[in-house]
Amino acid sequence: DDHRNAWRVGQVVPHEYRHSRYVIDYRQHQKLTKPGRYQKWYKVNGNYVLVNEQSHKTGLQKLILSSIITRKS
């Protein structure tokens, strides 16, 4: 499957993306909200994906295109 631009709410994140190298700190990026309990932001193929760490499913704010995200100085 090509997941580059195919993320959907409730989608299970493929195993190959469930690695710490994809996890990002939301505080280092503007416009990313604080994740809820058991959630983390992942950056996969240029997309920011909010993932539930227990179910490995994407959340309601599951995708923010990288074009609107800027790294804080």
Side-chain angles (χ1 to χ4, degrees):
D1 280 298
D2 182 3
H3 296 284
R4 276 180 253 167
N5 294 307
W7 297 104
R8 296 177 314 278
V9 173
Q11 174 182 345
V12 175
V13 175
H15 185 71
E16 64 262 27
Y17 299 124
R18 295 183 208 167
H19 191 277
S20 61
R21 70 175 171 243
Y22 294 103
V23 176
I24 61 164
D25 183 351
Y26 77 97
R27 295 169 291 199
Q28 299 297 315
H29 298 80
Q30 293 181 355
K31 298 188 182 181
L32 290 184
T33 58
K34 180 179 179 180
R37 187 175 184 185
Y38 306 120
Q39 292 180 325
K40 288 186 180 178
W41 281 103
Y42 284 62
K43 185 174 182 183
V44 180
N45 296 324
N47 294 312
Y48 294 85
V49 184
L50 186 62
V51 177
N52 181 297
E53 289 287 283
Q54 293 185 321
S55 67
H56 301 290
K57 291 184 179 181
T58 57
L60 293 176
Q61 298 175 336
K62 51 89 179 146
L63 175 63
I64 297 181
L65 298 177
S66 59
S67 62
I68 67 167
I69 302 299
T70 56
R71 198 164 168 83
K72 290 183 179 178
S73 305

